[in-house]
Amino acid sequence: MTSAEQQHQTHCVRCGECCRASSPTLQREDVPKVTAGVIPWRDLYTLRPGEPVRDNVRGGLKPLDQELIKLRETDQGACIYYDEENRACRIYEHRPVQCAAQKCWDDTDFMKVHARPKATRRDLIQDRNLLRLIQAHDEKCSIIELENQVKAIQYQGESAVTHVLEMLKFDHDLRRMMPEKLEIAPEETNLVLGRPLTQI
């Protein structure tokens, strides 16, 4: 839809552009949808501080300064709940608040929602042992520290490489252990631990 068309628009025409472009970030108001199972853990992933992400509001890439929880996307970058054939949301009645506020012709409501508190793993996960594990992983596998060590390779050489490899191994081994030891399904680890360091 062109900007000229959007200027005269007053309602959603179900073009699907917002759903195809990306998935929403969960606000704290969305937490009950997750705890009730309407949005299951397997359909979510965590972005951690320091992770480079595209800024949909201002444009460009930037490192995150806070943790975010997002709905997963398809390989093409669309929200996994977007039904391309029917041009509709599969969970429309329970869609995240960012989606409900989205109006491509007027971003006023969206910007108000966007400014409110975002959901974090501590909002979604109640198990104290799992929260301690998350904290240990965040300390051992900090994305900011990973970036620092990668940059340090040029002047610290082997010691920085060793540190990076230790971080990657810890992250990899923990993901392999969680389904067996903690009964966390493999597809839920990207919520619990964030995206694998090898992907980042």
Side-chain angles (χ1 to χ4, degrees):
M1 180 175 299
T2 67
S3 57
E5 289 173 324
Q6 288 176 357
Q7 287 177 0
H8 301 291
Q9 190 177 343
T10 58
H11 64 282
C12 178
V13 295
R14 294 176 61 180
C15 67
E17 285 186 28
C18 55
C19 305
R20 285 193 205 99
S22 182
S23 66
T25 297
L26 295 191
Q27 304 289 142
R28 201 167 286 160
E29 298 144 270
D30 293 312
V31 169
K33 299 175 181 115
V34 179
T35 55
V38 174
I39 300 175
W41 281 18
R42 68 176 177 270
D43 290 343
L44 300 169
Y45 68 98
T46 298
L47 295 171
R48 298 188 296 141
E51 194 163 346
V53 295
R54 186 173 48 130
D55 188 334
N56 291 333
V57 175
R58 295 176 186 85
L61 284 176
K62 68 166 192 173
L64 277 178
D65 58 4
Q66 64 176 317
E67 179 176 305
L68 300 176
I69 309 291
K70 285 184 65 72
L71 285 178
R72 285 193 305 109
E73 292 104 6
T74 66
D75 292 339
Q76 292 75 38
C79 176
I80 59 164
Y81 288 132
Y82 181 61
D83 181 345
E84 185 76 46
E85 184 178 346
N86 295 306
R87 293 180 13 182
C89 175
R90 291 186 180 96
I91 59 164
Y92 185 80
E93 296 301 322
H94 305 285
R95 67 196 186 282
V97 294
Q98 280 193 1
C99 301
Q102 180 77 37
K103 298 172 186 170
C104 61
W105 63 95
D106 180 0
D107 66 359
T108 306
D109 291 343
F110 178 85
M111 295 307 293
K112 287 178 184 175
V113 167
H114 187 267
R116 298 201 295 253
K118 309 289 187 291
T120 68
R121 290 172 290 179
R122 290 196 171 274
D123 296 316
L124 303 179
I125 298 170
Q126 306 304 315
D127 185 300
R128 290 182 181 176
N129 291 326
L130 191 52
L131 288 172
R132 280 196 289 269
L133 183 66
I134 289 169
Q135 182 176 348
H137 177 263
D138 283 347
E139 291 169 2
K140 180 78 174 175
C141 299
S142 158
I143 294 170
I144 296 169
E145 179 61 17
L146 177 64
E147 182 181 9
N148 290 339
Q149 289 301 317
V150 168
K151 288 178 180 175
I153 290 173
Q154 62 181 332
Y155 55 88
Q156 289 183 3
E158 192 65 32
S159 64
V161 171
T162 299
H163 195 171
V164 168
L165 292 175
E166 286 173 354
M167 294 173 75
L168 294 176
K169 184 177 187 310
F170 183 86
D171 181 64
H172 176 265
D173 290 349
L174 186 57
R175 289 171 194 279
R176 289 187 60 190
M177 174 273 292
M178 289 177 71
E180 179 183 340
K181 302 290 186 184
L182 301 176
E183 298 182 357
I184 301 292
E187 58 270 19
E188 296 175 340
T189 57
N190 283 355
L191 168 66
V192 177
L193 300 179
R195 298 192 301 169
L197 291 186
T198 51
Q199 285 183 15
I200 297 167

